Amino acid sequence: GIKIVTIGGGSSYTPELVEGLIQYYDELPVRELWLVDIPEGKEKLEIVGNLAKRMVKKAGVPMNIHLTLDRRAALEDADFVTTQIRVGQLDARIIDESIPLKYGMIGQETNGAGGLFKGLRTIPIILEITKDMAELCPKAWLINFTNPAGMLTEAVLRYGKIKKVIGLCNVPIGMEMTIANMLEVDSSRIHVEFAGLNHMVFGTHVYLDGMEVTAQVLDLLGSGKVSMTMKNIIGLDWDRDFLKALKIIPCPYHRYYYKHKEMLEHELEELKKTGTRGAAVKQIEKELFEVYKDPDLAVKPSQLENRGGAYYSYAACRLIRSIYNDKRDIQPVNVRNNGAIIGLPEGAAVEVSCMITKDGPKPLAVGELPVAVRGLVQQIKSFEQLAVEAAVTGDYHLALLAMTIHPLVTSDVIGKKILNEMLEAHKKYLPQF
Ligand code: NAD
Ligand code: G6P
Ligand code: MN
Ligand code: MN
């Protein structure tokens, strides 16, 4: 049997993961699932863990679920380790979203100044986790869902004590599902080739039954009749001619770059109405956990669909399934570039379609990115590299550099003010600075 350890087990997404593991049990016999959290998350861990136990019992699957605050005890002899942690909890997210916004910059948990700080807080912890893994389960795969997932994968590839790391995001699957819905066909008939970085990924080619339909999909996306987005991003329409010119499919997060002005205006309006997305998530979570507490509940409740992480468990389970069974199917994940995308460093983490084998994901050759997007992707990669260096060294000037070169931070002087205020606000979680 397989042993999976999920760090950040108190996450409201855990029932989704457990539902997936139950569905995949025949192909992926997980006998042990260890849910790990920290003292701040103890109550959530217990509520979610008890629901998970009811779910496997109801499904009649022989999976043992363990709840613990002792990460090292859990990691021993694990086969797969998944991470879904939020360092500083939702209050830190709200800070990431609101300080930049106060200075007129996008406030987003994985992009711009917010993404930088989420990375600075989280990279030291993920590197500690790799130390424990090297000691306690050196053969295990680390499947990291924690954001910023691309930057964290880069950090582990460059500084981690293990090499078997995969960054996972639900954006590519979400795009594929939306395309299938738009074309009114089953998603099994759709194949999308992906290339770029996490939350900066493009669908470069779309195939329906093996025939390329990229231009039709772009036209539909520009028609204003359908929108491709995630629950956490407003689905503002793309300009039809812009998409026609771009020739590849942007991801929902590209709106922060190509619709910068509109997205900033929207964020400022939302701030007045309901607060940042983090504040909205706090409310959704409160309601979710009330539902999770119900001792008669033994399935994943529908309210979870209000979170941005739709299809997360599908993505995680099919990835683990394909590694375990050496499936050699194609899935988009974050891995070491190894030359797949020309123009990005060999050692950089990229989000790209890969063949999933028992030895991990093998990125498919992309070649050069189209000239229209190459510069932006390279710039974000430079930002991520500097952010990783800043997180590891605690060097103020590297952090300032990462902040200021980010395309969503449009002033050196204001960037520095945001940096200083955020360093102070997050002091407790930034011991390296
Ligand atoms: P959450 O606020 O529920 O946090 C999950 C758990 O992590 C909490 O119970 C918390 O106590 C715990 N935690 C915090 N620090 C920890 C540590 N050092 N060790 C162990 N546990 C720790 O968060 P969530 O909304 O479920 O999201 C979890 C993470 O997943 C976030 O980083 C989020 O950005 C990310 N996420 C990623 C994607 C993706 O596409 N990759 C999608 C959704 C969420
Ligand atoms: C999307 C992204 C995640 C992101 C999440 C936010 O699905 O892929 O990386 O963290 O949504 O969702 P939330 O409900 O927390 O705002
Ligand atoms: Mn994501
Ligand atoms: Mn310095």
Side-chain angles (χ1 to χ4, degrees):
I2 302 165
K3 176 177 179 180
I4 296 187
V5 177
T6 296
I7 302 178
S11 161
S12 54
Y13 289 112
T14 297
E16 164 129 357
L17 181 68
V18 172
E19 183 194 64
L21 294 176
I22 289 170
Q23 280 165 4
Y24 276 86
Y25 192 82
D26 289 341
E27 280 182 281
L28 191 65
V30 176
R31 287 294 166 76
E32 300 276 312
L33 174 63
W34 288 66
L35 303 176
V36 182
D37 216 289
I38 52 173
E40 290 107 294
K42 188 167 186 278
E43 206 193 321
K44 279 170 64 179
L45 178 69
E46 268 161 24
I47 296 169
V48 162
N50 287 329
L51 170 58
K53 286 178 185 174
R54 295 195 298 274
M55 287 172 73
V56 297
K57 192 171 170 208
K58 185 179 179 197
V61 157
M63 189 191 306
N64 289 311
I65 296 183
H66 306 262
L67 314 182
T68 181
L69 303 183
D70 186 345
R71 180 171 84 207
R72 288 179 57 87
L75 283 175
E76 202 154 353
D77 296 325
D79 298 297
F80 295 92
V81 178
T82 72
T83 43
Q84 49 184 37
I85 66 174
R86 185 183 295 287
V87 178
Q89 316 288 349
L90 280 170
D91 286 331
R93 172 177 181 173
I94 294 170
I95 292 171
D96 285 342
E97 294 165 334
S98 37
I99 292 178
L101 205 48
K102 195 171 83 184
Y103 289 95
M105 306 293 169
I106 292 286
Q108 215 284 317
E109 72 162 335
T110 63
N111 280 262
L116 170 61
F117 270 83
K118 189 162 164 64
L120 296 179
R121 291 195 301 281
T122 313
I123 286 169
I125 310 282
I126 206 83
L127 293 177
E128 271 176 40
I129 291 173
T130 70
K131 260 192 213 159
D132 287 349
M133 285 179 66
E135 213 183 301
L136 300 162
C137 53
K139 288 186 188 149
W141 281 97
L142 171 59
I143 295 174
N144 175 61
F145 186 64
T146 309
N147 276 316
M151 195 196 289
L152 262 62
T153 305
E154 177 101 16
V156 173
L157 287 171
R158 294 194 187 270
Y159 294 100
K161 293 288 179 217
I162 54 153
K163 288 287 161 256
K164 291 166 83 171
V165 57
I166 306 171
L168 190 62
C169 175
N170 62 338
V171 161
I173 287 194
M175 290 169 70
E176 214 166 77
M177 296 294 185
T178 306
I179 291 170
N181 284 341
M182 272 166 44
L183 298 175
E184 296 176 0
V185 300
D186 192 85
S187 65
S188 61
R189 294 172 59 191
I190 296 289
H191 175 71
V192 184
E193 284 175 13
F194 290 98
L197 308 178
N198 181 236
H199 293 186
M200 177 55 52
V201 76
F202 294 89
T204 54
H205 298 278
V206 183
Y207 300 93
L208 168 61
D209 299 332
M211 300 274 286
E212 178 144 22
V213 292
T214 318
Q216 278 129 278
V217 169
L218 283 163
D219 204 48
L220 271 170
L221 267 182
S223 70
K225 285 185 213 123
V226 282
S227 115
M228 178 188 280
T229 196
M230 324 288 291
K231 276 280 155 66
N232 58 309
I233 306 171
I234 181 157
L236 297 180
D237 288 336
W238 293 105
D239 180 81
R240 189 176 216 152
D241 285 310
F242 170 61
L243 290 186
K244 195 177 167 74
L246 189 63
K247 293 195 177 74
I248 56 176
I249 298 157
C251 80
Y253 283 91
H254 280 115
R255 290 189 180 86
Y256 291 108
Y257 299 84
Y258 298 136
K259 292 180 171 299
H260 179 260
K261 191 167 180 288
E262 293 87 338
M263 293 300 276
L264 189 57
E265 275 167 15
H266 174 75
E267 280 195 343
L268 289 166
E269 278 166 33
E270 286 293 298
L271 185 69
K272 273 186 260 159
K273 279 193 282 178
T274 49
T276 65
R277 173 70 186 167
V281 165
K282 240 188 187 180
Q283 191 53 38
I284 297 173
E285 229 191 41
K286 218 166 126 191
E287 290 163 22
L288 261 177
F289 275 85
E290 279 313 308
V291 177
Y292 288 178
K293 277 184 195 163
D294 177 355
D296 296 324
L297 180 79
V299 293
K300 180 189 85 176
S302 61
Q303 287 94 327
L304 191 50
E305 283 156 22
N306 295 323
R307 297 294 307 276
Y311 307 119
Y312 154 53
S313 101
Y314 176 53
C317 293
R318 74 172 188 172
L319 175 61
I320 298 173
R321 183 261 339 242
S322 292
I323 295 172
Y324 181 71
N325 295 302
D326 196 25
K327 267 252 186 201
R328 299 181 173 260
D329 58 340
I330 310 296
Q331 299 180 28
V333 290
N334 290 269
V335 284
R336 192 177 193 275
N337 183 24
N338 283 345
I341 301 179
I342 295 172
L344 290 176
E346 293 270 318
V350 294
E351 189 165 284
V352 63
S353 297
C354 294
M355 184 193 279
I356 312 298
T357 77
K358 66 179 187 326
D359 304 313
K362 307 292 173 201
L364 305 183
V366 174
E368 286 185 3
L369 292 172
V371 63
V373 305
R374 187 185 306 153
L376 176 59
V377 172
Q378 286 173 331
Q379 184 70 2
I380 295 298
K381 180 45 69 182
S382 296
F383 156 78
E384 286 182 357
Q385 256 180 265
L386 289 167
V388 169
E389 296 299 322
V392 168
T393 57
D395 185 294
Y396 176 83
H397 291 92
L398 282 171
L400 179 62
L401 202 54
M403 173 74 83
T404 307
I405 70 158
H406 197 288
L408 298 180
V409 177
T410 53
S411 152
D412 57 345
V413 177
I414 299 174
K416 184 173 170 179
K417 284 187 183 155
I418 296 174
L419 180 73
N420 292 345
E421 191 169 331
M422 290 181 86
L423 281 172
E424 184 59 32
H426 287 306
K427 201 157 68 185
K428 189 174 158 207
Y429 297 103
L430 296 170
Q432 76 271 47
F433 280 91

